[in-house]
Amino acid sequence: MSTGRNETPVPDVAELEEQERRLVFRRFTHDDAWALGSLLVELARERQAPVAVDIHRGGQQLFHAALPGSTPDNDAWIARKRRVVERYGSASYLVGSRFRAKGTTFEESSRLDPDRYAAHGGSFPVTVAGVGVVGSVTVSGLPQVDDHRLVVEALERFLGE
């Protein structure tokens, strides 16, 4: 784990990969999406975080909430980060971190349209054991590492870790 400019610990690629191995669902239903989304909203409200929260399964949006202080730009960021998860099958922050670990950036090296894809923290794959990635849970509104951490914290609580 390294530290960012403000001395906040930033997870490295190995830690991010470990989070993905650990945070796996046995199943993921509409009710699970509602409960997880509601938990994220509760955590964000406790922190007065100006975020938008989104959960998709397949091509369907199962949950969306926009808290006070969030803007339409957060919805655009959600869509861009979610597309990274859908394309790579990994957390948006992990994808960006892998590019940075190679000495480049997602924007420079992915050859993907930055207006459609953003490898910034905040979108995490919804992975079902024995099935694979079936969707994503995404937060936008905080610095990217904090968006990522909020999603991971909610997943850990939801999955009982």
Side-chain angles (χ1 to χ4, degrees), residues 86-98:
E86 291 167 353
R87 184 167 185 119
Y88 289 86
S90 290
S92 55
Y93 193 63
L94 173 55
V95 172
S97 295
R98 285 177 173 151

Side-chain angles (χ1 to χ4, degrees), residues 10-147:
V10 175
D12 60 20
V13 170
E15 182 178 351
L16 295 167
E17 289 173 342
E18 186 275 330
Q19 289 171 350
E20 286 192 3
R21 279 191 297 276
R22 203 168 37 83
L23 299 172
V24 174
F25 293 80
R26 287 192 311 254
R27 61 172 172 60
F28 192 73
T29 66
H30 287 75
D31 289 338
D32 293 325
W34 178 261
L36 177 58
S38 297
L39 173 59
L40 268 163
V41 167
E42 179 184 323
L43 292 172
R45 283 184 189 213
E46 287 172 3
R47 296 158 200 197
Q48 298 179 332
V51 299
V53 176
D54 179 88
I55 299 176
H56 267 70
R57 186 183 67 192
Q60 185 179 20
Q61 183 179 54
L62 300 182
F63 185 93
H64 185 84
L67 277 66
S70 65
T71 70
D73 283 344
N74 297 121
D75 293 330
W77 275 99
I78 283 171
R80 292 168 62 217
K81 293 189 276 188
R82 186 185 75 243
R83 285 187 196 104
V84 168
V85 172
E86 291 167 353
R87 184 167 185 119
Y88 289 86
S90 290
S92 55
Y93 193 63
L94 173 55
V95 172
S97 295
R98 285 177 173 151
F99 278 92
R100 287 187 293 278
K102 293 177 186 173
T104 185
T105 66
F106 177 81
E107 295 77 14
E108 291 170 354
S109 298
S110 72
R111 301 182 60 120
L112 294 172
D113 182 351
D115 289 335
R116 296 194 40 82
Y117 295 89
H120 292 254
S123 192
F124 201 94
V126 172
T127 304
V128 174
V131 177
V133 176
V134 300
S136 60
V137 53
T138 310
V139 169
S140 176
L142 303 171
Q144 66 171 329
V145 71
D146 296 328
D147 279 346

